[in-house]
Amino acid sequence: MTASHGVGAPPGAATAKRPSPSRRIVDAAREVIAVHGIPGTSMDLIAKQAHVSRSTLYRIFPNRDQLIARVVTIEIRTLRRRLDKAIVGFTPQQTLVEVFVLGVEQAGANLAVSNVLAAEPEYFLRMPPWIWDILIQGVVIRLRNSGAEQPYAELCAVVDLMLRIAGSLLSNPSGALDITDIAALRAYGQKYIARLLVPVAD
């Protein structure tokens, strides 16, 4: 007698792996934010979108801020991966400009992020300090790796200012600079953002 492979399932058929509850919740949160923005996003809506119970949702993410922080953290990791592929052989100034360009491009293309900035432009300045620190430190490390010799505190201040400029542009997409025009965005970065990082005198 041969072993059964299950009704309707051919022998050797691979079973599709269902995303974990945590992944489904994060994906659902991104989708809900994209539609409703931060003000209209509730844990009930996220649980419904993720097809999980409220108890499961609150067991994994005790509150909405922690869940939104996870969504933001994933965006930061994606940005880092893109950045590391782009900045090979770059100078510190070129690296800073690339962070600016890729960051604005990625945030602008993400409905969840762009809707948050449109509805609550100050939200990202109110993020938990540890998320802001992770973002700044990640850029500082890449500036150091590209040869930046400025003191750590100075590099942190430069990155902080660059992020605030990027956030301001994203919060006002109808301004003079078309942030969907990557060539124009890069030219802006080369003209203004690169100047934030003053070369160390010999």
Side-chain angles (χ1 to χ4, degrees), residues 25-26 29-30 32-33 36-47 57-58 60-72 116 120 122-123 126 128 130-131:
I25 290 168
V26 170
R30 187 183 294 110
V32 172
I33 292 170
H36 300 282
I38 293 291
T41 294
S42 68
M43 294 293 266
D44 285 342
L45 277 175
I46 294 170
L57 174 59
Y58 280 99
I60 298 173
F61 296 103
N63 58 62
R64 193 185 70 153
D65 285 346
Q66 286 191 18
L67 177 49
I68 293 172
R70 176 66 67 84
V71 173
V72 173
V116 168
E120 293 187 67
E122 77 287 356
Y123 177 78
R126 294 189 286 103
W130 64 269
I131 294 183

Side-chain angles (χ1 to χ4, degrees), residues 8-162:
T15 302
K17 186 176 181 181
R18 183 175 173 81
S20 68
S22 176
R23 176 60 182 271
R24 297 206 314 274
I25 290 168
V26 170
D27 289 345
R30 187 183 294 110
E31 292 168 7
V32 172
I33 292 170
V35 174
H36 300 282
I38 293 291
T41 294
S42 68
M43 294 293 266
D44 285 342
L45 277 175
I46 294 170
K48 183 177 180 180
Q49 182 71 23
H51 303 290
V52 299
S53 66
R54 282 171 52 87
S55 61
T56 298
L57 174 59
Y58 280 99
R59 175 174 53 81
I60 298 173
F61 296 103
N63 58 62
R64 193 185 70 153
D65 285 346
Q66 286 191 18
L67 177 49
I68 293 172
R70 176 66 67 84
V71 173
V72 173
T73 301
I74 290 172
E75 288 300 312
I76 292 173
R77 290 174 183 165
T78 301
L79 176 60
R80 285 180 177 178
R81 288 194 293 269
R82 292 185 64 199
L83 184 62
D84 287 340
K85 293 179 180 179
I87 62 174
V88 177
F90 275 23
T91 66
Q93 284 77 17
Q94 290 171 326
T95 295
L96 187 66
V97 170
E98 200 65 21
V99 174
F100 169 76
V101 172
L102 291 182
V104 172
E105 179 191 14
Q106 180 173 316
N110 185 301
L111 280 177
V113 175
S114 56
N115 279 1
V116 168
L117 285 167
E120 293 187 67
E122 77 287 356
Y123 177 78
F124 285 99
L125 301 181
R126 294 189 286 103
M127 288 191 302
W130 64 269
I131 294 183
W132 197 251
D133 289 344
I134 286 175
L135 183 53
I136 289 176
Q137 289 168 10
V139 177
V140 168
I141 288 171
R142 285 153 181 81
L143 290 174
R144 280 271 192 250
N145 290 343
S146 63
E149 299 178 350
Q150 290 83 351
Y152 176 78
E154 182 178 330
L155 290 175
C156 287
V158 166
V159 175
D160 180 89
L161 181 55
M162 181 273 295

